Amino acid sequence: MKLDDLVIPSTSACATALEVASTYCSPALLNHSVRAYIWAAAYGSSRDITFDPELLYVASMLHDIGLAAEFDNHTVSFDEAGGHVAWVFAAGAGWPAGRRTRLSEVIVRHMWDQVDVAMDAEGHLLERSTSTDISGRNVDDFPADFRAEVLERYPRLGLAEEFLSCFRSQAERKPDSSAAAAVRNNIAARIVVNPLDA
């Protein structure tokens, strides 16, 4: 498994999603978004899971956009807010309504405990990859040399502290949100021992 063997889709929607993430996400959250795609695509490819690379890439770039101050909705969870932003983004990209909805679903589902691969391959892959990157869950799905290569190219830049701060803020302001549920379920303890930060 080599990083350069992964296909990064070259569509205009993907390039624009990266531009949006680069504009609104901190460097740590941007690298997290890129790694989310890498872990997802690498896992899916190695397990022969059929997925839509463009849909997965755009979802990866935008899955945390609801944590950015400009899109931090005061009433709904960051993942739901991100799903709405992504739907509007996809409309601007000319995607048909059904594909816009799929993008929104993938982003919302990345916060589920598990997503059935048969129901939603991209949602399954993004849920797994973000869990790997944030809390180290299933990190052994990837060889140590591949993990090192990914982290060298896209360093973590203090992601753990920033992410915990974001989630604690979300939890305090939106006690019924997915972030609040994660805080109650002690995500902090899992983040602190993430081997990717070792």
Side-chain angles (χ1 to χ4, degrees), residues 25-41:
C25 292
S26 69
L29 279 177
L30 175 62
N31 279 6
H32 162 64
S33 298
V34 173
R35 288 191 308 271
Y37 175 77
I38 291 169
W39 304 134

Side-chain angles (χ1 to χ4, degrees), residues 32 36 39 63-64 110-111 125-136:
H32 162 64
W39 304 134
H63 79 277
D64 279 343
H110 94 273
M111 284 299 293
L125 293 171
L126 189 59
E127 174 272 315
R128 272 190 85 94
S129 71
T130 56
S131 294
T132 296
D133 204 60
I134 293 298
S135 63

Side-chain angles (χ1 to χ4, degrees), residues 11-14 16-17 54 58 86-96 100 103:
T11 68
S12 61
C14 290
T16 306
E54 181 185 53
V58 172
W87 194 98
V88 173
F89 170 90
W95 289 11
R100 297 174 213 163
L103 177 62

Side-chain angles (χ1 to χ4, degrees), residues 4-5 53 82 87 91 103 107 133 187:
D4 289 335
D5 292 338
W87 194 98
L103 177 62
I107 288 173
D133 204 60
I187 192 172

Side-chain angles (χ1 to χ4, degrees), residues 63-111:
H63 79 277
D64 279 343
I65 199 75
L67 293 175
E70 295 84 352
F71 303 110
D72 184 3
N73 187 294
H74 72 285
T75 60
V76 302
S77 187
F78 83 97
D79 42 316
E80 293 177 47
H84 291 297
V85 172
W87 194 98
V88 173
F89 170 90
W95 289 11
R99 188 165 176 78
R100 297 174 213 163
T101 299
R102 280 288 300 122
L103 177 62
S104 181
E105 288 171 345
V106 171
I107 288 173
V108 170
R109 290 173 182 166
H110 94 273
M111 284 299 293

Side-chain angles (χ1 to χ4, degrees), residues 86-168:
W87 194 98
V88 173
F89 170 90
W95 289 11
R99 188 165 176 78
R100 297 174 213 163
T101 299
R102 280 288 300 122
L103 177 62
S104 181
E105 288 171 345
V106 171
I107 288 173
V108 170
R109 290 173 182 166
H110 94 273
M111 284 299 293
W112 289 12
D113 287 336
Q114 288 187 325
V115 179
D116 183 350
V117 66
M119 176 188 77
D120 181 354
E122 294 79 18
H124 171 78
L125 293 171
L126 189 59
E127 174 272 315
R128 272 190 85 94
S129 71
T130 56
S131 294
T132 296
D133 204 60
I134 293 298
S135 63
R137 191 167 84 180
N138 302 311
V139 74
D140 290 334
D141 286 341
F142 307 99
D145 58 342
F146 180 71
R147 296 195 309 259
E149 183 184 13
V150 172
L151 294 174
E152 181 178 351
R153 193 171 305 176
Y154 301 102
R156 294 183 66 78
L157 305 176
L159 175 66
E161 297 81 10
E162 181 177 334
F163 196 82
L164 268 177
S165 176
C166 285
F167 261 41
R168 286 173 174 149

